[in-house]
Amino acid sequence: MTTHAVATPVPVPVSIPVRQILPYALFVGIISLIALYFVGAEQGALAVFDGTYVHELVHDARHLLGFPCH
Amino acid sequence: MPLSETGTDRAATSAALDVRSLLVWGLLAGLLGGVLAFGFAEAFGEPSVDTAISLEEQGGAAEHSHDDGAAAGHSHGEEGAEEEVVSRSFQSTGGLAIGTVVYGLGLGGLFGLAFAFAYGRLGTASPRGTAVAVLGIGYTAVVLVPFLTYPANPPAVGRGETIGERTGLFFGMVGISLVLALVAVFVGRKLAQRLDGWTAVLVAGLGYLVLVTVAAKLLPDFQEVPDGFPGATLWEFRIASLGTSAVLWAGIGIGFAALLHRGLTRAR
Ligand SMILES: [Zn+2]
């Protein structure tokens, strides 16, 4: 090996194969979206649970994060 | 993630980037962003929310006394206390904290995923450069453009009858904007093979702006600010809302970039 340790200024970015990301994407994607849904919309226009507890609890965050609230 | 002596820098970079650590960094950055956003919202958002709620209650009190007829003066207070599932003081502190941190964690996870897809697919962008690109594209597409189309409203603004429609259209606009942004990224990558990178990014960015503006103009708009609602409060609230999201996203993006950089340099 002749080319040895010439500090590469910009390491070439190696992408992660999509196939490797997908299982995580499904799992984490769904859980994350559920978290966003509960803060952004639950017990507003849509509701999974009865009552208004979730809506009331995250009410101010929902307004300030820009979601329609009521 | 732990690396033994592998050959080149190149190998080190690729081996150090497994999806699992990206997600952990995303969640940690999300926690950071959520906490910072809570601080910002508490300091700059709550005053206008409180003002709006007190205005809403003045209006609401009059309505209630009409409905109930008997014991008008008392009924509102009693009813309010009964209906109050979460106290107002907890709503504006603990509730706000729970909301922003849960939202931050969710967004942080998605940020880690988005980075996993973007890394190595946006030209020669460095790891931190890629994180900043995801931050800029994400904030523009998911926050800024939907906000400019359907601005955030404080309590007392917005009619109850249209909440379903407004919610649907808001999420619809987030979706349209996000899809157009992703299309712009793909088109930009294709263009970069023929044009130089600068021109490719400009053309793709301009294309996104034109299309998303057309979409926003075609969707119905809502003018539901009640007469007499102070403009200063509305402005203050909306700026605070935009700022809360900006702090959240910046915390996630920059926190993620820092964790990423530390993880990559440590592994070497
Ligand atoms: Zn509300």
Side-chain angles (χ1 to χ4, degrees), chain A residues 16 56 60 63-64 70, chain B residues 46 88 91 121 153 166:
Chain A
I16 305 165
E56 295 291 322
D60 286 21
H63 272 281
L64 282 162
H70 48 215
Chain B
E46 281 299 337
R88 182 60 209 133
Q91 247 181 13
R121 296 188 172 92
N153 280 326
R166 283 185 288 124

Side-chain angles (χ1 to χ4, degrees), chain B residues 199-223:
Chain B
T199 318
V201 170
L202 271 189
V203 171
L206 198 63
Y208 164 75
L209 283 181
V210 168
L211 290 179
V212 90
T213 305
V214 170
K217 271 289 158 199
L218 289 177
L219 294 174
D221 69 338
F222 298 88
Q223 300 302 334

